[in-house]
Amino acid sequence: MAKPQLTTQCIDCFCESIAFQSLSKSEIDLLNAHRVELKFNKGEVICKQGSFATHLLFVQKGLTKSYLEEDSRTQILCINPPGCFLEIPSMSVDNVFHYTVAALEDVEVCFFDLSAIKKVAQENAKFAWFLMKIGHEAQILTFDRFFSLTQKQLHGRMADILLCLSNRIYGSYEFVLAFSRKDLADLTAMSNESAIRILKDFKDDGIIETDGKGIKIVNLEMLKKVSRFG
Amino acid sequence: MAKPQLTTQCIDCFCESIAFQSLSKSEIDLLNAHRVELKFNKGEVICKQGSFATHLLFVQKGLTKSYLEEDSRTQILCINPPGCFLEIPSMSVDNVFHYTVAALEDVEVCFFDLSAIKKVAQENAKFAWFLMKIGHEAQILTFDRFFSLTQKQLHGRMADILLCLSNRIYGSYEFVLAFSRKDLADLTAMSNESAIRILKDFKDDGIIETDGKGIKIVNLEMLKKVSRFG
DNA sequence: CGCGAGCTTGACGTTGTTCAACTAGAGTGG
DNA sequence: CCACTCTAGTTGAACAACGTCAAGCTCGCG
């Protein structure tokens, strides 16, 4: 694993971020003084569900996945684009990580000491509000997934995920997956084989084109229809 | 529907609540001046998913259910004991309710004007932190349900819900459900008939005793085992 | 006494998983 | 440069899990 290093100052990295618009110089200095920057290789676990949460994560670069795990079963909660905060809910409650985060590609993460975050947040209400807001946004996303996974059949679930990846992560109707079919299956709460079969169905129906890890949505309307009624 | 009325002052109702420990007299007055108290009858919808969120809800009395709905499909997120805040995630993001809340029994709800809440929270960091914390607690509960519903089979899901009701809601191994089998089915993402069959299985296996809406857990260890491996 | 809503049960069909076999491509060592 | 191996991806067939449908039941209520 990479050695701790601080290549940048918070004030360089985040000065444009909404997060830090509300922070004073001294508050930024405090956060900056209590953080660690690390690089992770593709596949590595960044923080583990159940372990003691001493830091809040900010992913500067690279895709990550957050997932729940228990008894060798895993459920991916979310694919996270770079520029996101992770493990927010651990912050205020019990200082235990409630999901595992792993790197889908090479990733750069900034770990902020929770005591420092907490100190600033309990003095600066605007910053607390900001943290709350990004936590809520994540939670609202979770609601959609909750509904999709519990109420829809395989085709509908897969359609939802493809739409979500297209919108939130890749910002295009054509993209190359950074992860395996198994991950796609863990995202949609189905078996490996089912995920493959559904993709094939979509391909046969002219909804998508696939080429290895490449996926192109060619019939968006149809995909949305499947998402709704599948 | 009951007429708006203010039977109590916030300072009476909440003076013992953690929420308001961090509030000044003037802040309490502000919240108090911008709130409405309403009573709802069993079965009534308190706030509707998709509608404009102008208030934060505090349930003073009575059980409620929060659920997601779309195209006549419903998924219950949570059964809420009295003394809880609801629709927290709507507060900071887009002012739209993201789930529906309905009364499972006669209920008393206090609606706090969001502008007032926001004003206080953006000035009083301790209060913002408190709101964040209760939001996070709800989110962590959701993770457990997320995993349960997506990764376990019917028996495991039902066991989880029975344990949850016993722990969080009724605080006893013996309780009388405030809702129907259909609700139990919507909680566990299964069909009405399956819910009934699973309960019967549990009864046949000596894990629970049932009498109409009454449920008694007689073999807790077994139920936990089913929760884990079901 | 009859009505209706919620509850219960069995039979049946569908959906989705599991298992096993096979394929393609990427890395490795001779 | 060619076997060899390992992993991810793919396919089909058998099976289990679960939902749907239809019918009957119970109990509270007018």
Side-chain angles (χ1 to χ4, degrees):
Chain A
M1 192 176 295
K3 267 200 227 169
Q5 48 180 326
L6 294 175
T7 56
T8 51
Q9 298 292 304
C10 275
I11 199 160
D12 301 323
C13 170
F14 295 127
C15 56
E16 293 155 69
S17 166
I18 316 164
F20 295 86
Q21 285 180 359
S22 51
L23 295 178
S24 70
K25 178 73 173 60
S26 69
E27 286 167 339
I28 290 178
D29 286 346
L30 177 66
L31 294 180
N32 198 39
H34 294 88
R35 74 189 177 95
V36 178
E37 235 178 286
L38 289 175
K39 296 186 181 191
F40 290 86
N41 299 322
K42 178 175 177 165
E44 286 182 338
V45 167
I46 296 170
C47 61
K48 180 83 177 175
Q49 178 179 338
S51 70
F52 195 60
T54 53
H55 292 78
L56 181 70
L57 279 66
F58 178 79
V59 178
Q60 298 173 278
K61 195 182 141 196
L63 282 183
T64 53
K65 63 174 171 180
S66 320
Y67 57 98
L68 304 170
E69 49 180 339
E70 192 183 314
D71 291 336
S72 84
R73 288 179 286 196
T74 75
Q75 174 61 53
I76 299 183
L77 280 171
C78 202
I79 303 293
N80 311 296
C84 65
F85 288 86
L86 294 174
E87 302 286 3
I88 294 179
S90 306
M91 189 166 59
S92 63
V93 181
D94 50 6
N95 288 9
V96 167
F97 288 134
H98 288 275
Y99 48 84
T100 300
V101 178
L104 291 173
E105 38 192 43
D106 291 356
V107 157
E108 292 177 23
V109 185
C110 202
F111 290 77
F112 288 94
D113 186 90
L114 269 190
S115 320
I117 291 272
K118 198 165 178 170
K119 186 166 191 308
V120 174
Q122 291 200 334
E123 283 166 10
N124 182 329
K126 292 241 165 28
F127 181 62
W129 188 265
F130 166 79
L131 284 176
M132 184 159 62
K133 180 170 176 169
I134 55 179
H136 290 167
E137 283 165 356
Q139 195 171 359
I140 287 168
L141 266 181
T142 312
F143 289 154
D144 286 343
R145 292 198 26 74
F146 199 100
F147 187 86
S148 171
L149 294 188
T150 56
Q151 294 294 312
K152 297 184 186 179
Q153 307 200 137
L154 299 191
H155 289 79
R157 304 213 291 264
M158 183 60 80
D160 282 339
I161 281 297
L162 292 181
L163 288 170
C164 181
L165 290 172
S166 166
N167 286 335
R168 275 186 63 240
I169 308 298
Y170 296 106
S172 161
Y173 293 131
E174 196 167 0
F175 47 88
V176 178
L177 290 180
F179 45 84
S180 67
R181 310 286 164 176
K182 172 69 178 131
D183 284 323
L184 214 47
D186 285 345
L187 267 167
T188 47
M190 65 180 74
S191 71
N192 202 348
E193 293 89 335
S194 288
I196 288 164
R197 272 185 263 261
I198 307 287
L199 285 182
K200 184 164 152 41
D201 288 346
F202 283 177
K203 193 175 180 179
D204 291 346
D205 295 343
I207 297 175
I208 61 170
E209 285 169 11
T210 63
D211 176 25
K213 300 219 189 265
I215 292 184
K216 181 179 178 182
I217 299 175
V218 291
N219 191 337
L220 182 64
E221 284 316 303
M222 194 68 155
L223 192 60
K224 284 183 178 171
K225 207 171 280 182
V226 173
S227 154
R228 176 136 190 212
F229 302 104
Chain B
M1 194 174 294
K3 266 199 226 167
Q5 49 181 325
L6 294 174
T7 57
T8 52
Q9 299 291 306
C10 274
I11 200 160
D12 301 323
C13 171
F14 296 126
C15 56
E16 293 154 69
S17 165
I18 316 165
F20 295 85
Q21 284 179 1
S22 52
L23 295 178
S24 71
K25 177 76 173 60
S26 68
E27 287 166 338
I28 290 179
D29 287 345
L30 177 65
L31 294 180
N32 199 38
H34 294 88
R35 76 189 175 94
V36 178
E37 236 178 285
L38 290 175
K39 297 188 180 190
F40 291 85
N41 299 321
K42 179 174 176 165
E44 286 182 337
V45 167
I46 297 169
C47 60
K48 181 81 177 174
Q49 177 179 337
S51 70
F52 194 61
T54 53
H55 293 78
L56 181 69
L57 279 66
F58 179 78
V59 179
Q60 299 173 277
K61 196 183 140 197
L63 282 184
T64 53
K65 62 174 171 180
S66 320
Y67 57 99
L68 304 171
E69 48 181 338
E70 192 183 312
D71 290 337
S72 85
R73 289 178 285 198
T74 74
Q75 175 60 54
I76 299 183
L77 280 170
C78 201
I79 303 293
N80 311 295
C84 65
F85 288 87
L86 294 174
E87 302 286 3
I88 295 178
S90 306
M91 189 167 58
S92 63
V93 180
D94 50 7
N95 287 8
V96 167
F97 288 134
H98 289 275
Y99 48 84
T100 300
V101 178
L104 291 173
E105 38 193 43
D106 292 355
V107 156
E108 292 176 22
V109 185
C110 203
F111 290 77
F112 288 95
D113 186 272
L114 268 191
S115 320
I117 291 273
K118 198 166 180 170
K119 185 166 190 309
V120 174
Q122 291 199 334
E123 283 166 10
N124 182 330
K126 291 241 166 26
F127 180 62
W129 187 264
F130 166 78
L131 284 177
M132 183 159 61
K133 181 170 176 169
I134 56 178
H136 290 168
E137 283 165 356
Q139 195 171 0
I140 287 167
L141 266 181
T142 312
F143 289 155
D144 285 342
R145 292 198 28 75
F146 199 99
F147 187 85
S148 172
L149 294 189
T150 56
Q151 294 294 309
K152 297 184 186 180
Q153 306 200 138
L154 299 191
H155 289 79
R157 305 213 290 264
M158 184 59 81
D160 283 338
I161 281 297
L162 292 180
L163 289 169
C164 181
L165 290 172
S166 166
N167 285 335
R168 278 187 61 241
I169 308 297
Y170 297 105
S172 162
Y173 294 131
E174 196 167 358
F175 47 87
V176 178
L177 290 180
F179 45 84
S180 66
R181 308 289 170 185
K182 172 69 178 133
D183 284 323
L184 214 47
D186 286 345
L187 268 167
T188 47
M190 64 181 74
S191 72
N192 203 348
E193 293 90 335
S194 288
I196 289 163
R197 271 186 265 260
I198 307 288
L199 284 181
K200 184 165 152 43
D201 287 347
F202 284 178
K203 193 174 181 180
D204 290 347
D205 294 344
I207 297 175
I208 62 171
E209 285 169 11
T210 62
D211 176 25
K213 302 224 189 261
I215 292 183
K216 182 179 177 182
I217 298 174
V218 291
N219 191 338
L220 182 64
E221 284 316 305
M222 195 67 156
L223 192 59
K224 284 184 178 169
K225 208 172 279 181
V226 173
S227 154
R228 175 137 192 213
F229 301 105

